[in-house]
Amino acid sequence: MKNLLKIGVLAILFIANVSCENDDQTIINPSGGPELLTPLTGSSYILNRSTPSAEVTTLVWDHADYGVQTEINYEVEFSLADTEFAVITSGGLTNSRFYTYTHESLNTIALAAGLVPYTAGDLDVRIKSSLGTNDDVVAYSNVVTITVTPYPTDLPKLAVAGNHQGWNAGNAPLIAASDFGRTDFEGYVWLDGEFKFVAQSADGTFNFPPAGGPDYGDNGDFSGILAETGESNCTAIAGYYRVRANTGAITAQNLDGMTYSTTAVSWGIIGAATPTGWDSDTDFTYNPTTKKLEIASIALVPGNFKFRGNNAWSNGFDLGTVNADGYLVDGGDLTFSGAAGNYKVILDLSNPRRYTYELIAL
């Protein structure tokens, strides 16, 4: 009888405890979400590449009310306007009730959300709050709509469309300018017959006029002069080329304006790390599928090496240094410090002005 009484008491205590736990769970339901105070709907921001770390705006909101004294987590959420946050781009996490954006950070968010460089577009912004580590108990703020004009983060490019790739400008190899606002395009392209240069449209795509463009060809005398109207197709015999084009007007600062050139280049690897040392190159073969240069197998030993073009030092084709961004640039020597053995070597010049290489042990 005493045992039955003890069991009954324990059951009552268990039920009471569960009830209390359920009561605790209802207590932490938010009675009010955060309120986004600034910026106001209609605020507009034109982002500037030249001042990346300058503050452009600060979001400020009132606190969310969960009825308990505990840390509240906030996340800023962005989405294309009028999409009901179908696709969310995170704008950052914080326990404060404000978040500051620089030109660079807001530009990154705007591009990730789907805005087009140099084109004003609307973004919806809201604040998501959650309690402690419980992300199931959330509340959202009001939605504010802002207008943002982002800038591109990639170098300006031209598409080299032509017989070598079926005249598809949207899928053509690219050459890139040396910096933003420059018109001196350069890159490495396999050419085979006639071709033209196609500029990016405002949305970043490449299309021939009238859908896109403009496009550029030879002025008709085939001496390396570009023309935008009344032009002829440029031409080259089948081979791998360094391609340059300058689409800017001729000025005292841009003497190469409205010109182009194609220089055939045969690339090789040379140096103490290679079988023939510094005496001669081991040549690469172009892979049309990957658009990269490859040596299927070469015996390497620890030592210095570099990549050079046309089997000579005096022609300006000399890649031997990796810069701070991880890309190959002119001059210097590279060092192979791996185990001696056979390696596949890949020289990737397909991404203009972003040249890389790989050494793959076989």
Side-chain angles (χ1 to χ4, degrees):
M1 183 68 179
K2 290 182 179 180
N3 288 336
L4 292 174
L5 181 60
K6 289 180 180 179
I7 292 172
V9 171
L10 289 172
I12 292 171
L13 290 174
F14 175 76
I15 294 170
N17 185 54
V18 171
S19 298
C20 289
E21 289 181 357
N22 288 336
D23 288 343
D24 289 341
Q25 289 177 355
T26 59
I27 288 173
I28 63 173
N29 283 334
S31 59
E35 182 184 359
L36 185 52
L37 303 175
T38 63
L40 301 176
T41 288
S43 298
S44 182
Y45 307 98
I46 300 175
L47 304 181
N48 190 339
R49 183 198 322 283
S50 64
T51 57
S53 59
E55 178 181 335
V56 64
T57 188
T58 296
L59 273 63
V60 180
W61 57 90
D62 202 355
H63 67 87
D65 186 4
Y66 284 85
V68 292
Q69 295 299 315
T70 188
E71 189 173 63
I72 298 176
N73 304 316
Y74 297 102
E75 181 177 12
V76 185
E77 295 185 340
F78 289 82
S79 184
L80 289 177
D82 300 321
T83 61
E84 304 295 331
F85 289 87
V87 178
I88 295 171
T89 299
S90 177
L93 301 168
T94 183
N95 298 122
S96 302
R97 295 198 299 272
F98 65 92
Y99 206 101
T100 298
Y101 294 97
T102 63
H103 285 261
E104 184 177 41
S105 61
L106 187 56
N107 191 73
T108 299
I109 291 167
L111 294 177
L115 295 191
V116 176
Y118 300 136
T119 304
D122 291 339
L123 294 175
D124 285 342
V125 190
R126 70 183 181 186
I127 309 301
K128 173 187 174 183
S129 66
S130 59
L131 187 64
T133 59
N134 190 350
D135 198 44
D136 293 328
V137 184
V138 300
Y140 293 95
S141 74
N142 54 310
V143 176
V144 168
T145 302
I146 62 174
T147 301
V148 179
T149 303
Y151 56 82
T153 57
D154 205 1
L155 293 172
K157 293 184 173 66
L158 289 176
V160 185
N163 187 64
H164 56 284
Q165 51 84 231
W167 291 98
N168 182 350
N171 192 36
L174 305 174
I175 57 177
S178 61
D179 204 349
F180 298 98
R182 300 291 296 273
T183 58
D184 56 338
F185 299 89
E186 178 181 300
Y188 290 88
V189 181
W190 179 272
L191 297 173
D192 184 6
E194 296 184 340
F195 65 94
K196 294 183 75 173
F197 302 99
V198 183
Q200 283 176 281
S201 301
D203 62 359
T205 61
F206 296 91
N207 291 289
F208 282 104
D215 65 351
Y216 305 88
D218 193 277
N219 73 338
D221 62 15
F222 298 97
S223 62
I225 306 301
L226 279 180
E228 184 180 343
T229 58
E231 74 277 13
S232 302
N233 291 338
C234 307
T235 187
I237 63 173
Y240 194 66
Y241 292 85
R242 181 189 66 191
V243 179
R244 288 175 169 172
N246 193 316
T247 60
I250 300 174
T251 66
Q253 294 75 36
N254 188 31
L255 298 177
D256 295 324
M258 295 306 290
T259 62
Y260 76 98
S261 65
T262 56
T263 304
V265 188
S266 173
W267 283 93
I269 186 173
I270 190 171
T274 72
T276 55
W278 292 102
D279 295 326
S280 62
D281 302 78
T282 300
D283 291 334
F284 285 91
T285 300
Y286 179 73
N287 185 328
T289 301
T290 64
K291 297 180 174 60
K292 301 175 184 180
L293 299 166
E294 299 177 357
I295 296 174
S297 178
I298 184 174
L300 298 179
V301 297
N304 291 347
F305 70 97
K306 65 197 320 178
F307 306 104
R308 72 172 181 174
N310 293 339
N311 303 299
W313 296 114
S314 59
N315 53 28
F317 299 106
D318 177 356
L319 299 174
T321 299
V322 175
N323 66 15
D325 295 323
Y327 301 120
L328 285 167
V329 293
D330 294 343
D333 289 345
L334 299 163
T335 300
F336 172 66
S337 56
N342 291 329
Y343 289 80
K344 179 177 183 178
V345 184
I346 299 174
L347 179 60
D348 185 1
L349 307 182
S350 64
N351 190 5
R353 300 187 187 271
R354 300 289 187 266
Y355 308 133
T356 60
Y357 75 96
E358 295 179 81
L359 303 177
I360 304 171
L362 298 176

